[in-house]
Amino acid sequence: MKRVSLLAITLLMCTITFAQQALWGGAPVVSPEIHDNNTVTFRLKAPKAVRVQVTGDFLPTQKITTPFGEFDGPGMGELVEGKDGVWEYTTPEPLAPELYSYSFIVDGLRMMDPANVYMIRDVSTVTNVFIIGGGRADLYKVNDVPHGTVSRMWYNSPTLGMDRRLTVYTPAGYETSGKRYPVFYLLHGMGGDEEAWIALGRTAQILDNLIAQGKAKPMIVVMTNGNAAQEAAPGESSLGFAAPSMQLPKTMEGTFETAFPDVVKFVDKTFRTIKSKSGRAIAGLSMGGYHSLHISKQNPDMFNYVGLFSAAIMPDKNVKSPIYEDMEGKLKTQFAKKPALYWIGIGKADFLYKANEDYRKLLDENGYKYTYYETGEGHIWKNWRIYLTEFTPLLFK
């Protein structure tokens, strides 16, 4: 009996050891490794590779030409092969506090870092991510503060004739307080969806931290899907695992703006909200800024706070919709009702900078008051997270 038990234990230990070896594949490669001085080392075990590169937004930018224009894209760094086929690259300078994304390119094939399980999807691109803490970037981290709740919810849109999904953040204490809360509607850019702001924008972390620091009022944040032809984000609807795309119908031709009151009605019915203009804000990035501009002017009694983050301004000249008619007349009505805050933020290298500059001239010529915030760089999530941290503390004062 003892001999059988010993044999069973030996077999069990061998099985566990084998399973661990299969699971981990030997000694782990550490990547990325953030050093005390905030330089970062990236590693990849690829003994048969000829060339390994890392690309990410922590590297100097390079020009990339797309169907939508020329953009500043992530640069490249060359990894050097070392012992046991482990390739390595260390940033020549310390990185500033920020949330960074990256991926590897191995002999021309783009791949994720197998040593880093933290990944984010942006439209159809998936990248690994890491955070360098300090300063504003500490707002992007999960800190030891009271945490809000993030829910994915479905609502019916009579205007669009379908059920649709949105993401909702409720602040810490919402479930038990019995209080009514203001609502901030936060809209994504082209190709994004109701997951974009919560994943790439770190909305829940930013709101948790700003509220805990007393810099922002407790509020509900509603993140919609701005693609009026979609039920929900890719993989989250009856379409199944459909490929994400930026080429979607019903995005910037008036349909979403027309249907937006359906969202407000659902939120006011479902949550304990302040059901008045003073308790509502709307903002968005790029296409979402475009939507925010036109929804707010179309409904001048609905939103007291408006934020345009790197916003597109006007539709394509071939687009015809009542939403975009009489732009100046609708702006005159909106500003006559004195919104508490009209906020515009954009990066100096943004391809939409000139459109925003022209729009600000229009506002200036008519004496319409607004707050302007300019950053460096271009049409990137780094800027949009900054704008969120700047805009949110100004709400509902």
Side-chain angles (χ1 to χ4, degrees), residues 306-319:
V306 179
L308 312 183
F309 303 169
S310 308
I313 303 300
M314 292 301 294
D316 182 272
K317 62 183 179 181
N318 297 318
V319 171

Side-chain angles (χ1 to χ4, degrees), residues 222-248:
V222 177
M223 290 152 277
T224 58
N225 188 314
N227 308 299
Q230 276 188 332
E231 299 168 12
E236 300 291 341
S237 75
S238 60
L239 292 177
F241 293 154
S245 172
M246 294 184 73
Q247 305 299 316
L248 296 170

Side-chain angles (χ1 to χ4, degrees), residues 11-134:
L11 288 172
L12 178 62
M13 292 302 295
C14 288
T15 301
I16 292 172
T17 302
F18 178 79
Q20 288 177 334
Q21 186 176 3
L23 178 63
W24 300 113
V29 172
V30 178
S31 179
E33 182 180 2
I34 301 171
H35 303 290
D36 291 341
N37 66 350
N38 283 351
T39 58
V40 180
T41 297
F42 301 87
R43 299 183 181 92
L44 179 69
K45 187 167 186 176
K48 295 183 179 181
V50 175
R51 187 185 190 188
V52 179
Q53 299 165 290
V54 61
T55 179
D57 53 11
F58 59 91
L59 291 159
T61 58
Q62 58 182 358
K63 291 294 182 183
I64 296 176
T65 302
T66 76
F68 304 98
E70 192 173 64
F71 295 86
D72 286 333
M76 297 279 191
E78 298 286 340
L79 279 73
V80 176
E81 187 175 12
K83 185 180 178 182
D84 298 325
V86 176
W87 296 71
E88 188 172 295
Y89 172 86
T90 300
T91 59
E93 301 290 337
L95 299 185
E98 185 53 70
L99 172 70
Y100 293 100
S101 62
Y102 73 99
S103 55
F104 290 131
I105 299 176
V106 181
D107 296 337
L109 178 65
R110 184 177 168 277
M111 64 173 286
M112 298 297 96
D113 184 347
N116 184 357
V117 300
Y118 300 106
M119 293 174 278
I120 291 179
R121 177 182 65 85
D122 187 5
V123 192
S124 58
T125 301
V126 179
T127 56
N128 291 105
V129 292
F130 65 97
I131 293 179
I132 299 291

Side-chain angles (χ1 to χ4, degrees), residues 111-161:
M111 64 173 286
M112 298 297 96
D113 184 347
N116 184 357
V117 300
Y118 300 106
M119 293 174 278
I120 291 179
R121 177 182 65 85
D122 187 5
V123 192
S124 58
T125 301
V126 179
T127 56
N128 291 105
V129 292
F130 65 97
I131 293 179
I132 299 291
R136 192 190 303 268
D138 284 344
L139 293 174
Y140 310 155
K141 298 167 69 175
V142 177
N143 294 310
D144 186 13
V145 299
H147 301 298
T149 299
V150 177
S151 306
R152 273 73 173 181
M153 306 186 70
W154 289 83
Y155 73 100
N156 179 259
S157 173
T159 306
L160 298 177

Side-chain angles (χ1 to χ4, degrees), residues 204-226:
Q205 292 80 9
I206 290 170
L207 266 292
D208 280 351
N209 290 319
L210 287 176
I211 292 170
Q213 293 172 14
K215 294 179 180 178
K217 295 281 189 182
M219 67 186 76
I220 298 167
V221 184
V222 177
M223 290 152 277
T224 58
N225 188 314

